[in-house]
Structure formats: C-alpha cells, structure tokens
Amino acid sequence: MLIREKVRQAAALLKEFDLDCWLTFTRESQVMGDPVLPFLTTGDVTWHSSFLVFKDGKARAVVGRYDQKIVEETGAYDEVQAFVTGFKEPLQAILKEANPRTIAVNFSRDSEICDGLTHGLYLTLVDVLGEIGMAGRIVSAERLVSALRERKSAAEIGYMREAIRQTQEIFALVAPFIRPGRTEKEIGDFITAERVRRGLPAAWGAASCPAVFTGPDTAQAHYGPTGRTVQPGHVLNMDFGVKVESYCSDLQRTFYVLRPGESAAPDDVRRGFETIVRTVEAAKRAMKPGVLGLDVDAAARGIVTAAGYEEFPHALGHQVGRFPHDGTALLGPAWEKYARKPFRPLEPGMVFTIEPRLTVPGRGVVTIENMVVVTETGAAWLSDPQTELILAKG
Amino acid sequence: MLIREKVRQAAALLKEFDLDCWLTFTRESQVMGDPVLPFLTTGDVTWHSSFLVFKDGKARAVVGRYDQKIVEETGAYDEVQAFVTGFKEPLQAILKEANPRTIAVNFSRDSEICDGLTHGLYLTLVDVLGEIGMAGRIVSAERLVSALRERKSAAEIGYMREAIRQTQEIFALVAPFIRPGRTEKEIGDFITAERVRRGLPAAWGAASCPAVFTGPDTAQAHYGPTGRTVQPGHVLNMDFGVKVESYCSDLQRTFYVLRPGESAAPDDVRRGFETIVRTVEAAKRAMKPGVLGLDVDAAARGIVTAAGYEEFPHALGHQVGRFPHDGTALLGPAWEKYARKPFRPLEPGMVFTIEPRLTVPGRGVVTIENMVVVTETGAAWLSDPQTELILAKG
C-alpha cells in the first residue's frame, strides 16, 4: 500500500523535476541497503537489484530469482524480471528500450538520506551504463528522494501522531518515578519496560533510547543512562522516541527536582526554561513554506545567545520519518557538517523537531524537543509542546 | 574488547598489505552506516566520522562532539578529536602530519561487505583530500576489510559455535511438531517462539527467518512461511539462524513426511538426499587454504548435475559472520553477479556454509546447509552435518 503510493509519487516527482528515469541500484540490503528500499519493496534483496520508475508512470524491477516473488507481490511494478547469473543484460535492455535522457541515481554529498548508492555500486553502474553509451546520463536523485521522504502523506503523518501519543503517555508515566536516589539507569529501564510492554520498537539504538541526563556534568546527549543518581536541585532531561509502522517520534522533556522546602524551581532554572519555551515558540512562528531552515535556526539561536547562554552545538531541528533523522532540509546553521541542508526551503508536509538547548550552570541541561508539521501557511504542532517544567518531588 | 582486538588486527594487516593508512569515513550510521563500524566503535555515529588506523599501530578518530565519549571509551584509539562545526580541518591536520603514501578506504565493486563508503561520501572525501594534495592516494581497502572480517578470532568462532548449537537444539525441538495438517506458518511460529524464549535475535529478517517450505511448488527460498499445509509424501526444508553476540548461524535441514504404511522415504527422495550428502562431503574435502572457491563450487555442482538434477541457481556456500552473508571469498561459480569473489583463495579462519540443493520432482526441495571453518590443513565442521533425512510421522 505504502509502496504503491510511493512508486506513484516518484513518477509524479520525475515530471515535476523533469527527470526521465529514477534508478535505485542496491545489493545485500541486510548488510547496507539503500535507505529508500522500504519505499520500493518489502523485506531484503540479495543480489544486485534495480528498481526503475519512468516519467510515464511505468515501473520495472530486475532482481535475483529468489527475490522476484516478494517484489511482484508489492503490486507496484509493471514487470519484475528475475535473473540467475547476472543483472546486466536485463537492465541494459530496459534502458535501451526506454532511452531516458537522464537517469537519476541515489547519491548526494549533502544529504545522507539520499546517498544510498555505495561507491563500488556507482563504479559498477558507470561500467554497465557505459557499455550502452548512457554513463553520461547519470544525475543525482537528491531532489526526488528528498521530496519522496519529506512530503509526508496523511497515512505517514498518522503513524507519527500515534508514535508521539505513545511517547507522551510514557513521559507522563515516568514523571512520578523520578525522585532523589533513583539512577538514570533505573529511570531508563522504567521507560524501556513500558515501551516493550506496549510492543513498540525504540526509535533509535536502544542503548541510548531513552537517554536520561540528571544534573550538571553529564555527557549531555547521544549517551545511555548511567548509574548517576538524581539529586535535589538537579535539572533532568530525557530524549526518547518509538516507532509505529516504522515511523518515528523523537521528543525531549525537562524536569526539575525540588529541594527540601521548594515548591517551584529556582530563578536560574526558570529563566533558562522560559528562554527555551520562547525559543521554541519563535521558531515555530518563523516556519512556513519557502522559508530557509537557516533563517529559522538563526532566529532561535539568537534568542538563546541574547539571553546570555552559550549557543547549542547542533542544529535547531531535523526532519523525522522512518529514521529519527530523516530528510534533507534542516533547521540548522551554515556549518560545514550540515553542507547545503540549511539552504533548502521548507515545504508543506515536512515534519521537523524543534529542539533548542542551554545549560544552567550547576544544574543541568534544559532542552525541549517538540515535533511540528509544515502546513500551507505555517507550522502545526504534532506533539503537545512542553510549556511548564515538570517538577519532581524532592 | 572486540574493538581493541580488531583495531590491532587492522594495523597488522596494513603491514601485511603494505598500506600506510586505513580510513573509515561514515555518517548517520542509523540510516546507512558502514558495515565495518561495529569493529571500530560501539553504537552509532551521527555526523561525518573518520576512523584512522596507521601502519605504525597508531589509531585516531575524528567524530562529532556528542559521539566523542563513547568512541573514547572503546579504549582502541590514541586520540579521539571532537568537532562542532566541521570535520575537515582536524582530518586534514592528522593526514598532513602522518603523510601516508596510500589511504585505503572502504569501497569495492566486488564485495558488498567492503563497500561501506557511499558515493556522496566518496565525492566529499576526494574534495577534502584534494585540498591537501592527497586525493590521488586513495585506494580500495577491500583486501584489508576482507581479512579483518574473514580471519575469525577464537572469540568470534566461539560465538558462532554457540549460535549453531542453539539453532540445532531448536531444529531438534521442532522436528516432532512437523506432521500432516500443520501449516508452514505454524511450524515457523513454533521456531520463532522458541527463539524468542531463548532471547536470541534472528540471524536475518524475521519475516523469512525461519523460512519453511513444504512440498513441490513453493517459492523455494527467501520467502516467509505460508498457509500451505504439510502433506504425506512432502519433502520439507527449513532455513534458520540466530545471533549470539552479533555473530550468526545459518543452517538448513530437510525432512520427509511419511505416507501411510511407509517407514522410510521412497527411492526418489532418498536418492536426492544421498546426492546432497555426497555433495556436501565432497565440498568439505575440497576445501583448504589456497584453493579457490570457484573450484570447490564446481566440484560440488558437478556431482549434482552428473546425478541428473538441475544445477542450483546460487553459490554452493558463502561466508558467515556478523551478517549471514559476510565475506568476500565465495564458494561460487564465475557468474556475473558474483564478480571476482569466487576467485579469491581460501584462508584459515574463514567460516563458510556448504548448501547445495536439488529438486525432487513432485516432492519438494532437498537442501542441507552446514557450516565449516577453514583450518591450516582443510576444513572442520562447526555444525553437526545432517546425514540422515529427518522423518516426520504421517
């Protein structure tokens, strides 16, 4: 169902971008399959496999004999050819017949999600197309693959809403469990047990999903829960997500652990939290189709630094999809590691996180991560935005 | 532990192959990480990450700030540099200082397991090395990565022995469950329940692990169990494996379902099975260091075709490791899809499957898959080879 929808969408995108043919070329997908493969077939492919979509809407595949049946059963292809000894002749025959002026393949300097062709397979493809005089027709499919992943359908958004709902329910359940003396690991185990009880896969590697950081001097991100103990006066933050039908949530929440006699967080913590809330709201207001991610990031980053905090060492927000980081357009600064991603305009249907952070010295990291979808006129919440510190009893 | 061992092994392989530097360059490993990454760090990396091993034994890494701690904790690196905005300057500085004559990177036309560099990352690397006059020093790391994966240590073999032991126990448990009226799916579910009860991950995609095929007219391979019912007179085969510490087993077994009054399989089935047993034994006898996989395959294939059966449409055997298909050298024919893999000589420590198959018309597919390790003088069983048809009560 998803596969038929995506193959049709690909044909429309070929027209939009004036490309004649999109060729996904991959092998041994268990080892390192093109990340676009789940849009093209179910399960894995073994030998050199070619999935072709043409501007006229025709779709063809050339796969190893044992993979033919499962690709045919997707119902997305007009023809699925099987080979035993080699893929070259059937692939060349299809291309000679169609004679496309451009053959878009999955490589990209800038965007990892559009970079599914390995260099060895690229060299093979240049040889095979060279024999029929078509090597010069190879172009990058970055725009097509980006749009295919980024312009989410109602069904895709629906899966992500459900992943977000489940994640938020688990945040609500774990909140009363947070108290002085608990370790990050105990809190993480509580969340994992609840996720497993619900039959939900973790959105990323389970070793750091959830990530839980309590107090100052933590690893801050991308690290698993440790034996560090929750103490009164700590700011605690967690980063967690699940998958529903392979679509991810990715959310962060910030807690404050009350000290004896406190009924609210102290001024420095509240000031940090309110700065982050304002930053999130300003970022969301800045988002609409046509705006560059660069400018959304700059507006948000400026609020944090103007308030006197160090700037966050990462992008303001990334797209989410079948991976927690899934998309080309990025709400990020013009740093080398982000390449051209911050310079792509936003489009309706893109799902982004907004996740500024700052450190409150001696307390911990304040960070909220929400998810929004870009609409025709702006951006709409997919998650319930955190606007109040969650207070843990001291 | 494994990581320190593999990084040391890589330094020794640089000397053996007279290479100065091995550079693994990857990003967003959750999306499409280099399959060699688990030998270099734990967990995932996010931004452009460089892992360098030099001939003198020094190892360095350049990773994003949030990934630094986890890479440092492997204990395998002399230095782990972290960046916030970009990787280019620290990577160039390391290379300028070391000034390697050759920089081996992970791409290969022939071997998917050595082809972890995407084409977009290759283009980026050419730019970055070009700026310091080193783009011309890039060579393929295929031989190094092959040896790193293929020459298994005692610990790696130990994990695989345990995965095989567990798989064989599960085969023994499912055997009495096979009887007329059961569906392939029921048999598959029995195996999966036992695997899950033991806390073992499936060796490949759970949709076809196990694969179960009963009788004639099945998909034959790479397909999940269906609602097809076991009938008296069927030949039934299954393909199954598990992972222990990320190392796989991959085994097949053949069963015969007795008809009323039968106490043994009929002649046509026995003849097919005995042909496969002879083929397996001949293949194992043909294996020793220095022999080409091509020749082992040809000897085995010849026994099947000389007995009057159609030749199997796949290689006789593949290497196994962290993936079910893991390695470059292959016991296979000189077919286009196998590229140069069958032309690589066997080496001690390689773990191969031996899995010839044939069809007994009107009955089903006879196939046995065993696993062996290449020794200094030949090959030794890792699995208990199936030498008798397993008879299911009719």
Side-chain angles (χ1 to χ4, degrees):
Chain A
M1 173 67 178
L2 174 77
I3 293 168
R4 287 204 300 276
E5 177 182 292
K6 286 288 165 184
V7 170
R8 276 197 302 269
Q9 190 182 352
L13 291 169
L14 286 166
K15 281 192 201 141
E16 178 176 339
F17 299 130
D18 193 24
L19 297 165
D20 282 359
C21 171
W22 176 39
L23 168 58
T24 295
F25 184 53
T26 194
R27 65 178 165 187
E28 286 288 357
S29 60
Q30 281 188 62
V31 172
M32 198 186 177
D34 190 315
V36 89
L37 192 63
F39 292 134
L40 296 170
T41 188
T42 49
D44 283 299
V45 294
T46 310
W47 298 291
H48 298 76
S49 302
S50 305
F51 299 88
L52 302 108
V53 184
F54 294 95
K55 201 191 230 169
D56 66 3
K58 285 275 186 308
R60 296 181 191 281
V62 180
V63 299
R65 170 166 153 187
Y66 287 144
D67 298 329
Q68 180 182 25
K69 187 172 160 75
I70 210 161
V71 178
E72 279 178 348
E73 287 174 351
T74 63
Y77 296 90
D78 298 283
E79 189 183 23
V80 180
Q81 283 181 261
F83 65 86
V84 170
T85 61
F87 70 96
K88 195 173 80 170
E89 286 184 22
L91 177 60
Q92 288 176 333
I94 289 172
L95 288 171
K96 278 195 280 192
E97 189 198 321
N99 195 27
R101 286 167 307 130
T102 46
I103 302 169
V105 305
N106 304 340
F107 71 90
S108 167
R109 275 183 173 80
D110 290 359
S111 178
E112 60 283 345
I113 207 81
C114 305
D115 195 28
L117 185 71
T118 63
H119 184 54
L121 284 177
Y122 172 83
L123 296 174
T124 300
L125 202 55
V126 166
D127 288 347
V128 169
L129 299 194
E131 288 179 12
I132 54 171
M134 293 190 186
R137 304 185 191 186
I138 293 175
V139 298
S140 166
E142 183 193 305
R143 284 198 307 171
L144 185 152
V145 175
S146 295
L148 197 68
R149 303 194 79 106
E150 294 177 342
R151 299 180 191 172
K152 302 281 197 298
S153 69
E156 291 176 291
I157 300 275
Y159 299 142
M160 298 175 80
R161 280 188 194 278
E162 176 61 11
I164 289 166
R165 191 185 70 76
Q166 297 270 2
T167 306
Q168 294 185 155
E169 279 189 12
I170 295 174
F171 280 143
L173 289 170
V174 77
F177 185 78
I178 297 171
R179 69 172 76 123
R182 299 268 196 230
T183 65
E184 291 175 356
K185 192 158 183 327
E186 286 166 346
I187 295 165
D189 288 347
F190 180 100
I191 291 173
T192 296
E194 185 60 28
R195 172 180 68 71
V196 170
R197 199 184 66 74
R198 292 168 181 238
L200 298 166
W204 58 91
S208 62
C209 185
V212 180
F213 303 100
T214 193
D217 311 317
T218 66
Q220 300 204 352
H222 297 193
Y223 201 79
T226 72
R228 189 179 295 112
T229 303
V230 173
Q231 307 284 348
H234 272 185
V235 170
L236 181 150
N237 68 288
M238 58 177 68
D239 190 356
F240 179 53
V242 301
K243 287 190 192 185
V244 168
E245 298 289 337
S246 299
Y247 284 79
C248 299
S249 58
D250 180 7
L251 300 173
Q252 294 179 67
R253 292 293 178 260
T254 297
F255 304 74
Y256 175 72
V257 186
L258 293 167
R259 283 181 299 199
E262 279 182 340
S263 60
D267 284 354
D268 58 342
V269 173
R270 281 197 292 123
R271 185 171 163 273
F273 186 79
E274 285 158 12
T275 302
I276 289 296
V277 170
R278 280 204 327 279
T279 305
V280 170
E281 287 169 354
K284 176 171 173 287
R285 278 197 306 274
M287 293 175 74
K288 65 176 183 180
V291 166
L292 302 187
L294 185 75
D295 295 330
V296 180
D297 178 89
R301 192 172 296 272
I303 294 171
V304 172
T305 53
Y309 299 98
E310 200 185 345
E311 69 175 321
F312 38 94
H314 55 69
L316 172 69
H318 54 81
Q319 290 184 73
V320 186
R322 298 177 74 92
F323 301 96
H325 297 178
D326 190 329
T328 301
L330 180 79
L331 311 180
W335 292 346
E336 177 202 321
K337 72 181 175 189
Y338 295 132
R340 300 288 307 162
K341 292 194 280 193
F343 295 88
R344 285 178 45 109
L346 306 192
E347 295 184 353
M350 290 179 168
V351 172
F352 280 99
T353 65
I354 301 177
E355 47 174 315
R357 71 166 53 208
L358 59 80
T359 298
V360 180
R363 306 287 193 176
V365 171
V366 172
T367 174
I368 308 173
E369 183 174 13
N370 292 299
M371 289 171 66
V372 298
V373 58
V374 179
T375 64
E376 295 294 334
T377 55
W381 296 118
L382 290 178
S383 57
D384 303 328
Q386 184 184 2
T387 55
E388 303 283 341
L389 268 171
I390 307 165
L391 299 176
K393 292 225 172 69
Chain B
M1 175 65 179
L2 173 78
I3 292 169
R4 286 204 301 275
E5 175 182 293
K6 285 289 165 183
V7 169
R8 275 198 303 270
Q9 191 182 352
L13 291 169
L14 286 166
K15 281 193 202 139
E16 177 176 340
F17 299 130
D18 193 24
L19 296 165
D20 281 1
C21 171
W22 176 40
L23 167 57
T24 295
F25 184 54
T26 194
R27 64 178 166 188
E28 285 288 357
S29 60
Q30 280 187 62
V31 172
M32 198 187 178
D34 190 316
V36 89
L37 192 63
F39 292 134
L40 296 169
T41 188
T42 48
D44 282 300
V45 295
T46 310
W47 298 291
H48 298 77
S49 301
S50 304
F51 299 87
L52 300 107
V53 183
F54 294 95
K55 200 190 231 169
D56 65 4
K58 285 275 186 306
R60 295 180 192 281
V62 179
V63 300
R65 171 166 151 187
Y66 287 144
D67 298 329
Q68 181 182 25
K69 189 173 160 72
I70 210 161
V71 177
E72 279 177 349
E73 286 173 353
T74 63
Y77 296 90
D78 297 284
E79 189 183 23
V80 181
Q81 282 181 262
F83 65 85
V84 170
T85 62
F87 70 96
K88 193 173 80 171
E89 286 183 22
L91 177 60
Q92 288 177 334
I94 289 172
L95 288 171
K96 277 194 281 193
E97 189 199 321
N99 196 26
R101 286 168 307 130
T102 45
I103 302 169
V105 305
N106 304 339
F107 70 89
S108 166
R109 274 182 174 82
D110 290 358
S111 177
E112 58 284 343
I113 206 81
C114 305
D115 194 29
L117 185 71
T118 63
H119 184 55
L121 284 177
Y122 172 83
L123 295 174
T124 299
L125 202 55
V126 167
D127 288 347
V128 169
L129 299 194
E131 288 179 12
I132 55 171
M134 293 191 186
R137 304 185 189 186
I138 292 174
V139 298
S140 166
E142 183 193 306
R143 283 198 306 171
L144 185 151
V145 175
S146 295
L148 197 67
R149 303 194 78 106
E150 293 177 342
R151 299 179 191 173
K152 302 282 197 299
S153 69
E156 292 177 290
I157 300 275
Y159 299 143
M160 297 174 81
R161 280 189 194 277
E162 175 61 11
I164 289 165
R165 191 185 69 76
Q166 296 270 2
T167 306
Q168 293 185 155
E169 279 188 13
I170 295 174
F171 280 143
L173 288 170
V174 76
F177 185 77
I178 297 170
R179 70 173 76 122
R182 299 269 197 229
T183 64
E184 290 175 358
K185 193 160 183 326
E186 286 167 345
I187 295 166
D189 289 348
F190 179 100
I191 291 173
T192 296
E194 185 60 27
R195 171 180 68 72
V196 169
R197 199 183 67 73
R198 292 168 181 237
L200 298 167
W204 57 91
S208 61
C209 184
V212 180
F213 303 99
T214 193
D217 310 318
T218 67
Q220 298 203 353
H222 297 193
Y223 201 80
T226 72
R228 189 179 295 113
T229 304
V230 174
Q231 307 283 348
H234 272 186
V235 170
L236 181 149
N237 68 288
M238 58 176 68
D239 189 356
F240 178 53
V242 301
K243 287 189 193 187
V244 168
E245 299 289 335
S246 300
Y247 284 79
C248 299
S249 58
D250 180 6
L251 299 174
Q252 294 179 67
R253 292 293 179 260
T254 296
F255 304 75
Y256 175 73
V257 186
L258 293 167
R259 284 181 298 198
E262 280 182 338
S263 59
D267 284 353
D268 57 344
V269 173
R270 282 197 290 122
R271 185 170 164 271
F273 185 79
E274 285 157 13
T275 303
I276 289 297
V277 169
R278 280 207 324 280
T279 305
V280 169
E281 287 168 357
K284 176 172 173 287
R285 277 198 306 275
M287 293 175 73
K288 64 176 182 179
V291 167
L292 302 187
L294 185 75
D295 294 330
V296 179
D297 178 89
R301 192 171 296 273
I303 294 171
V304 171
T305 52
Y309 298 99
E310 201 185 345
E311 70 173 322
F312 37 95
H314 55 69
L316 172 69
H318 54 80
Q319 289 184 75
V320 186
R322 298 178 73 92
F323 300 96
H325 297 177
D326 191 328
T328 301
L330 180 79
L331 311 180
W335 292 346
E336 177 202 321
K337 71 180 177 188
Y338 295 131
R340 300 288 307 161
K341 293 194 281 194
F343 294 88
R344 285 178 44 107
L346 306 192
E347 295 184 354
M350 290 179 168
V351 172
F352 280 98
T353 65
I354 301 177
E355 48 174 316
R357 71 166 54 209
L358 58 80
T359 298
V360 180
R363 306 287 192 177
V365 171
V366 172
T367 173
I368 308 173
E369 183 174 14
N370 292 299
M371 289 171 65
V372 297
V373 58
V374 178
T375 64
E376 296 294 334
T377 55
W381 296 118
L382 291 177
S383 57
D384 302 327
Q386 184 183 0
T387 53
E388 302 285 341
L389 266 171
I390 307 165
L391 299 176
K393 291 223 173 68

